Amino acid sequence: MDTCRIPANTSKCSGNTMECFMVLSTQAQKISIGILCGLFGTMCVFENSLVLYLIFSSPGIRKKPSYLFIGSLALADILASITFVCSFVNFHVFNEAGFSKEVFLLQLGGVNTSFSASLSSLLLTALDRYISISRPSEYKLLMTRKRAWTALAVLWVTCATIACLPLLGWNCCVLDSTCSELFPFVDDNYLSGWICFVVVLLGCIVYAYTHVLWRARQHVAYMEKHQAQAGKQNTRMRMDVMLAKTLAMVLAVLMLCWSPVLVLMIYSIFSRLSDRLRKVFAFCSTLCLLNSMVNPIIYALRSKELFSSLRRVFSHFRRQLKVTEESPEAESTHKSSVIET
């Protein structure tokens, strides 16, 4: 295994650098992390898979760029849940450290790619709403399906490239630099750069949402004054307001779930972390899964189109069950069982 410069407060873990980062010391802590990851991860995969199905099974929904971005967000959350739960539980709960530096950095790159793509998809969704409300008359010309798919391709390639930099050589083993106290083999300078990338994304999202919500309030005031006018325009504005409020809720949840993790990452760059804070960081990391789990719930509650599609799916499922129960084969089976009796 590669020899890296271990942070001073973890030097007691001599002989295996990976063991220095296994901060869960009791069985209760490991069980708690395992339960949280299992619960959040399972719910996240199920809910986001349902969102993807609702989007791409409805021709009217999947043609809209807004829902292409939401679909990208759901896909990123699914991948983040799978990669995060598998690698995190394997490392912290089962204390598996038999893999190489390359394998670990590949796993970390997968987690970073997924979470970065999730955040970037939210940014594209915010920009989509920004254009829709700022320039409604030109929206269909500016935001086409081709441009939406191109933006998503650039998004995923950029996130994957940034996340794989440690695997490509920007790590503390190759550079013989100071390693992060939170992640094995990760260079402190790379961690600083990744944090700056996330902060810039969050800043752009906050700016876009601030403008969207400001315009949404103007639309609400306009609708109150012109209730008796043409319903189509009011309906479109009402949909914009609803989606803007939905995405604002998504952003609020995102900030609540990611703030503790980012604060501890920033703190680790400028100061040494105690073992207690490193354990806190491990538990706070599961909040990222909670964010991915809550997003689809917000869509189902706030998006009328997705909610209507969900109702149609359930209605179709109930009809199928009813047809199966009332089929001739089922009736014949029932009669034969009665005769035998």
Side-chain angles (χ1 to χ4, degrees):
M1 182 172 290
D2 302 81
T3 302
C4 306
R5 186 181 303 173
I6 306 171
N9 67 329
T10 59
S11 59
K12 58 183 180 181
C13 308
S14 58
N16 190 342
T17 59
M18 300 292 283
E19 292 179 356
C20 305
F21 300 88
M22 298 176 181
V23 296
L24 303 182
S25 55
T26 66
Q27 196 67 21
Q29 293 173 354
K30 295 179 181 180
I31 293 175
S32 299
I33 285 288
I35 292 175
L36 290 175
C37 289
L39 177 61
F40 292 163
T42 301
M43 291 298 296
C44 180
V45 171
F46 171 76
E47 292 170 359
N48 283 285
S49 297
L50 181 59
V51 170
L52 283 178
Y53 175 78
L54 293 177
I55 291 175
F56 290 99
S57 65
S58 304
I61 293 179
R62 67 168 178 259
K63 292 179 180 179
K64 298 181 179 180
S66 301
Y67 288 100
L68 290 179
F69 299 146
I70 291 176
S72 174
L73 177 61
L75 176 62
D77 285 337
I78 291 174
L79 296 177
S81 300
I82 295 174
T83 55
F84 178 84
V85 170
C86 292
S87 59
F88 195 79
V89 171
N90 191 43
F91 186 80
H92 284 290
V93 177
F94 297 108
N95 298 136
E96 179 61 44
F99 37 78
S100 64
K101 175 192 72 176
E102 288 75 18
V103 172
F104 179 85
L105 291 179
L106 180 62
Q107 293 177 352
L108 184 63
V111 174
N112 286 346
T113 298
S114 303
F115 280 126
S116 299
S118 177
L119 188 59
S120 300
S121 297
L122 190 57
L123 174 59
L124 286 183
T125 310
L127 294 176
D128 174 74
R129 288 298 90 198
Y130 178 90
I131 296 174
S132 175
I133 289 184
S134 299
R135 307 173 71 176
S137 60
E138 303 175 31
Y139 174 75
K140 290 186 177 180
L141 294 176
L142 294 174
M143 190 57 66
T144 62
R145 282 174 55 84
K146 182 178 180 180
R147 290 181 177 178
W149 281 112
T150 301
L152 289 175
V154 172
L155 178 159
W156 281 91
V157 170
T158 301
C159 291
T161 302
I162 294 176
C164 290
L165 288 177
L167 182 63
L168 297 176
W170 191 354
N171 59 73
C172 56
C173 298
V174 173
L175 301 177
D176 193 25
S177 56
T178 303
C179 296
S180 168
E181 294 186 49
L182 296 174
F183 305 100
F185 313 120
V186 174
D187 178 68
D188 259 345
N189 292 326
Y190 170 80
L191 183 60
S192 301
W194 189 83
I195 293 173
C196 290
F197 172 66
V198 171
V199 170
V200 169
L201 288 179
L202 288 174
C204 294
I205 293 173
V206 169
Y207 173 80
Y209 276 124
T210 301
H211 185 84
V212 166
L213 295 178
W214 174 66
R215 293 300 297 268
R217 291 190 62 183
Q218 289 185 327
H219 282 184
V220 171
Y222 177 87
M223 286 187 291
E224 290 176 351
K225 293 180 180 179
H226 301 81
Q227 284 292 340
Q229 292 189 2
K232 185 175 181 180
Q233 184 179 8
N234 283 345
T235 300
R236 175 178 176 79
M237 288 190 298
R238 192 175 292 110
M239 290 174 58
D240 286 340
V241 171
M242 179 66 72
L243 193 51
K245 291 180 178 179
T246 298
L247 298 177
M249 292 173 62
V250 174
L251 178 61
V253 172
L254 180 79
M255 296 295 293
L256 180 65
C257 293
W258 275 86
S259 293
V261 173
L262 290 176
V263 168
L264 287 174
M265 284 184 182
I266 295 172
Y267 183 77
S268 71
I269 294 174
F270 299 100
S271 180
R272 293 191 178 95
L273 296 177
S274 64
D275 289 341
R276 183 178 180 181
L277 283 178
R278 294 167 72 215
K279 291 178 182 178
V280 169
F281 177 79
F283 278 91
C284 287
S285 298
T286 61
L287 291 177
C288 301
L289 279 179
L290 178 62
N291 171 70
S292 298
M293 185 187 74
V294 170
N295 284 343
I297 298 176
I298 297 177
Y299 302 147
L301 293 177
R302 303 290 298 181
S303 173
K304 289 185 178 180
E305 291 178 293
L306 282 180
F307 187 71
S308 298
S309 180
L310 180 61
R311 290 180 61 182
R312 287 195 298 269
V313 169
F314 281 138
S315 297
H316 177 73
F317 181 70
R318 284 198 299 266
R319 287 195 300 268
Q320 289 293 106
L321 286 179
K322 190 175 181 179
V323 169
T324 302
E325 292 175 356
E326 297 177 354
S327 64
E329 294 181 0
E331 185 176 352
S332 175
T333 303
H334 175 70
K335 288 182 178 179
S336 62
S337 64
V338 172
I339 294 174
E340 290 177 1
T341 303

